[in-house]
Amino acid sequence: MLFTSIFFLTLFLPLFLSSYYLCPAIWRNRVALVFSLFFYLWGAPQFLPVVLVVGAGNYWLSHHLGRSSHRRLWLGLGIGIHLAILFYYKYLLFFSGQLSLLLTMLEAPFSLPKLPEILLPLGVSFITFEQISYLMDVYRGDGTPARKLTDYWLFLLLFPHSIAGPIFRWKDLDGQIQHRDLQTGDIFNGFFRFIYGLGKKAVIANIVAFPSDQIYSLPKTEVGFWVSWIAAIGYMLQIYFDFSAYSDMAIGIGQMIGFSFKENFLFPYTANSITDFWKRWHISLTSWFRLYLYIPLGGNRVGEARTYLNVFFVFLVSGLWHGSSWHFVIWGAFHGILILIERFFKISFGAFATFVLVLLGWVLFRATDMGQATTFFRAMAGLSGNPTIITYPFAQILPYRCLVTMVIGLAMIPFEPKIYAFLENNKVGSLVRWTFAGAVYLMAMAGIANSTYNPFIYFRF
Amino acid sequence: MNSRFLIILFLLIPLIPTSRLFFLRGATTAPEKVPLTLSSVWTGKYQEWVEGHFARHVGFYAPLINLDNMINLAFSETRLNSNGCVVIAHNDVLLSPDEVALFRQRKVDWPAIEKKIQLLSEASQKLKKLGIEMKLVFVPSKLSYFVKELPERWQVETPEPRPGLAAVQQAMARLQSLQVPILDVRDILEKIRKETGEIGYPRGGRHLYQLASCEILGMLQKPNFTCFPAVPGVATGNESDIHECLNSFHPFGQREKLSKPGPVQTERKAPRKVLLVGSSFMRELETEARRLKLYEDLHIFYYNKSHENGVSSKPVKIDDEWRNLIKSRDLIVVDFFEPQLDTLGHGFAEQVLREL
């Protein structure tokens, strides 16, 4: 069930909110858990038992950590199990494929058996990282074990964030699960934030996706200079407006039920360096890598060369987290190298160069493989030898609505802080905010109704 | 009432029933109902069906779709939805993208087309020996009549003559040189234009209009009959199909007034058993032939994939029934729709040569 499905918007969410608001405060966690279980069950019934059982095991382990004399061993075992689950579902096929390829190249006398398709559980990467962070925080004493298993399940499965983030830390939510206030102002702010996210997804991201989807499916010989740039800019806008929209909706729903989730995006395309970009993009993931990988590796306390190695390794892993394919790994390496350049030369690339470099990175990210990425880079540099425009009508590749939406999207980037301020300013006349919400909701619902399939990009991870 | 419930009411607005005021036009196929079973829930198919079913029955579904299409069409001369994409040309002419595709086509696999032409020629000879007449009907692209209306943004610089269009002319010449009987609908449309001043394609439809279909049947029928004098009418059915499936508040390509066939006097010498093979243009001929009660027995192989007889439909299957059906025909009509040059003959000639 997607946040942008009519079923969610007009049935699940109103039903959930009605039940939540009508029940006594002490029942609200139970209502949230029941609806969250239903939400996950609805989307991935075969994986709910896995999440519940592994979650229960992690809960038990977190309590056992405090009592055991082999704390380190238990922690390693717990993390190992989570990584093994993630590896099985997300990376086994990729690595076995690569190994098979290697064996063929080496003309080995044996080959690996062909593995059957493995379905990726909904939000497995997000849930795994939350389980690991919980265990490590408890081990480090940076949080106390959950008092009740149902609290822990609620932390893992709370439906606004369970399948596409943001990635929570237990200590950020623990207190809120125990007690939270429902302030009318926050509820309305959350609602407007949710509607704004819905608009970003359905009115902008889905529209700017149209040209880039079409261009990325063109044959190699059709990818010329202009279309490759249109595709790159279109995708850059799509991925931001899509993914940040999901975070907006998650944060908005959270606010509507009294939670205060941390921001996951802070206007990343206004960053003036790659380092700055990563402080603003998918903040919950970047924080996770810093706290649970970079720092345990020694961070910047282990000498300059090791620090550089640590940074680069973290970005390689981050690339692999995004997808089991080499072009994701190379995308991670690309960002890692850029950050190392900034560190080594003590420079920042500046806003414009950062914007362009991030855009080039998204070409690697969006391509289906390295061959396609190379095709696009050559075309963007004017070296493809293909026609500058295209043999397809421009109107079909870039309809006016998409062009206008791309321009609006680009223009919105520097003004987003003001838009958020407007949405959260209770002093702004309610008529203005309601009119804004009504117009956005109408446009979004029109787009959603007119489409049959509307997945979020980040569901792949 | 607590003000927070305003939010819930707001979200529920799309559930207000509006089906008496707004409705969707055009043909759609509702997904098959998925029964509630453990297996269907486990695989997620039931949930998928419920979500789709719910969405289609939300009160505001139709106006929302109309609104979105209106925005798309007003901005972009096209629908962004890949299903039923439409190009809006000037003067409310509605075109299908495959028409534009032919116009912009740069590369043509001529050896493959030449082979199809050879096979059609051989199949035509073989059927003739069996006493069966086979005729090709060349249906020109709608765009060729409205090319001046195509917005500049939709045009692409290609060398003249445009390779796609040149290949069609080459194919026509080759078919004629091999003496494959061929009926050129362009001649019929020219005749209609002279008689009524109308182009044979309605602005809001993908297909030829009824008068043209009637005239084609007149040319195929021996002795000929004529559908003139035509009577005034309004575009209906296939004549307005793109307009019908547009579902936009904006009146693009709204129903237009055009000439319809008048009363037709047919002089049938003998009952004729006919098979039509091809695209939806053959369906138009079928509809018109059934209306005029022209043939004793009429079958259609829609894209040579689905066998329809006016009552039921089943996949085309090569068996004794198929052989008997072909052998019992007096006339077999195969369409050659201009934008579909690549699939000329729909594989029917190969089957005839192999199986008969």
PDB file of all heavy atoms in Angstrom, chain A residues 189 422 424-430 433:
ATOM      1  N   ASN A 189      -0.108  21.127  11.380  1.00  0.00           N
ATOM      2  CA  ASN A 189       1.188  21.272  10.694  1.00  0.00           C
ATOM      3  C   ASN A 189       1.568  19.962  10.006  1.00  0.00           C
ATOM      4  O   ASN A 189       2.061  19.945   8.877  1.00  0.00           O
ATOM      5  CB  ASN A 189       2.284  21.657  11.682  1.00  0.00           C
ATOM      6  CG  ASN A 189       2.150  23.094  12.127  1.00  0.00           C
ATOM      7  OD1 ASN A 189       1.410  23.863  11.508  1.00  0.00           O
ATOM      8  ND2 ASN A 189       2.837  23.461  13.191  1.00  0.00           N
ATOM      9  N   PHE A 422       6.090  28.387   5.737  1.00  0.00           N
ATOM     10  CA  PHE A 422       4.688  28.747   5.493  1.00  0.00           C
ATOM     11  C   PHE A 422       3.750  27.648   6.013  1.00  0.00           C
ATOM     12  O   PHE A 422       2.734  27.913   6.653  1.00  0.00           O
ATOM     13  CB  PHE A 422       4.488  28.954   3.983  1.00  0.00           C
ATOM     14  CG  PHE A 422       3.073  28.879   3.513  1.00  0.00           C
ATOM     15  CD1 PHE A 422       2.178  29.901   3.783  1.00  0.00           C
ATOM     16  CD2 PHE A 422       2.617  27.774   2.793  1.00  0.00           C
ATOM     17  CE1 PHE A 422       0.853  29.825   3.345  1.00  0.00           C
ATOM     18  CE2 PHE A 422       1.308  27.696   2.362  1.00  0.00           C
ATOM     19  CZ  PHE A 422       0.419  28.723   2.633  1.00  0.00           C
ATOM     20  N   GLU A 424       4.270  25.563   8.360  1.00  0.00           N
ATOM     21  CA  GLU A 424       4.297  25.388   9.821  1.00  0.00           C
ATOM     22  C   GLU A 424       3.928  26.656  10.585  1.00  0.00           C
ATOM     23  O   GLU A 424       3.934  26.655  11.800  1.00  0.00           O
ATOM     24  CB  GLU A 424       5.698  24.917  10.245  1.00  0.00           C
ATOM     25  CG  GLU A 424       5.925  23.478   9.820  1.00  0.00           C
ATOM     26  CD  GLU A 424       7.290  22.965  10.214  1.00  0.00           C
ATOM     27  OE1 GLU A 424       8.005  23.685  10.930  1.00  0.00           O
ATOM     28  OE2 GLU A 424       7.626  21.848   9.797  1.00  0.00           O
ATOM     29  N   ASN A 425       3.614  27.709   9.838  1.00  0.00           N
ATOM     30  CA  ASN A 425       3.313  28.970  10.500  1.00  0.00           C
ATOM     31  C   ASN A 425       1.821  29.032  10.838  1.00  0.00           C
ATOM     32  O   ASN A 425       0.981  29.274   9.983  1.00  0.00           O
ATOM     33  CB  ASN A 425       3.711  30.131   9.571  1.00  0.00           C
ATOM     34  CG  ASN A 425       3.567  31.467  10.266  1.00  0.00           C
ATOM     35  OD1 ASN A 425       3.046  31.542  11.381  1.00  0.00           O
ATOM     36  ND2 ASN A 425       4.037  32.506   9.609  1.00  0.00           N
ATOM     37  N   ASN A 426       1.558  28.801  12.094  1.00  0.00           N
ATOM     38  CA  ASN A 426       0.155  28.767  12.512  1.00  0.00           C
ATOM     39  C   ASN A 426      -0.524  30.125  12.410  1.00  0.00           C
ATOM     40  O   ASN A 426      -1.745  30.226  12.464  1.00  0.00           O
ATOM     41  CB  ASN A 426       0.045  28.260  13.950  1.00  0.00           C
ATOM     42  CG  ASN A 426       0.451  26.806  14.031  1.00  0.00           C
ATOM     43  OD1 ASN A 426       0.198  26.038  13.103  1.00  0.00           O
ATOM     44  ND2 ASN A 426       1.106  26.442  15.112  1.00  0.00           N
ATOM     45  N   LYS A 427       0.315  31.162  12.259  1.00  0.00           N
ATOM     46  CA  LYS A 427      -0.292  32.500  12.181  1.00  0.00           C
ATOM     47  C   LYS A 427      -0.844  32.792  10.788  1.00  0.00           C
ATOM     48  O   LYS A 427      -1.638  33.692  10.597  1.00  0.00           O
ATOM     49  CB  LYS A 427       0.760  33.563  12.544  1.00  0.00           C
ATOM     50  CG  LYS A 427       1.079  33.573  14.033  1.00  0.00           C
ATOM     51  CD  LYS A 427       2.174  34.557  14.335  1.00  0.00           C
ATOM     52  CE  LYS A 427       2.603  34.409  15.791  1.00  0.00           C
ATOM     53  NZ  LYS A 427       3.897  35.024  16.027  1.00  0.00           N
ATOM     54  N   VAL A 428      -0.346  32.010   9.805  1.00  0.00           N
ATOM     55  CA  VAL A 428      -0.857  32.219   8.456  1.00  0.00           C
ATOM     56  C   VAL A 428      -2.344  31.860   8.460  1.00  0.00           C
ATOM     57  O   VAL A 428      -2.748  30.861   9.058  1.00  0.00           O
ATOM     58  CB  VAL A 428      -0.109  31.303   7.448  1.00  0.00           C
ATOM     59  CG1 VAL A 428      -0.723  31.422   6.069  1.00  0.00           C
ATOM     60  CG2 VAL A 428       1.353  31.650   7.405  1.00  0.00           C
ATOM     61  N   GLY A 429      -3.141  32.708   7.827  1.00  0.00           N
ATOM     62  CA  GLY A 429      -4.584  32.483   7.834  1.00  0.00           C
ATOM     63  C   GLY A 429      -4.923  31.066   7.413  1.00  0.00           C
ATOM     64  O   GLY A 429      -4.335  30.542   6.464  1.00  0.00           O
ATOM     65  N   SER A 430      -5.800  30.449   8.159  1.00  0.00           N
ATOM     66  CA  SER A 430      -6.082  29.042   7.868  1.00  0.00           C
ATOM     67  C   SER A 430      -6.683  28.886   6.474  1.00  0.00           C
ATOM     68  O   SER A 430      -6.482  27.869   5.818  1.00  0.00           O
ATOM     69  CB  SER A 430      -7.005  28.460   8.918  1.00  0.00           C
ATOM     70  OG  SER A 430      -8.221  29.158   8.906  1.00  0.00           O
ATOM     71  N   ARG A 433      -3.870  28.403   3.980  1.00  0.00           N
ATOM     72  CA  ARG A 433      -3.264  27.067   4.052  1.00  0.00           C
ATOM     73  C   ARG A 433      -4.230  25.995   3.548  1.00  0.00           C
ATOM     74  O   ARG A 433      -3.835  25.054   2.875  1.00  0.00           O
ATOM     75  CB  ARG A 433      -2.827  26.762   5.486  1.00  0.00           C
ATOM     76  CG  ARG A 433      -1.604  27.577   5.894  1.00  0.00           C
ATOM     77  CD  ARG A 433      -0.793  26.914   6.969  1.00  0.00           C
ATOM     78  NE  ARG A 433      -1.534  26.720   8.216  1.00  0.00           N
ATOM     79  CZ  ARG A 433      -1.033  26.072   9.264  1.00  0.00           C
ATOM     80  NH1 ARG A 433       0.152  25.538   9.212  1.00  0.00           N
ATOM     81  NH2 ARG A 433      -1.736  25.944  10.370  1.00  0.00           N
TER      82      ARG A 433
END
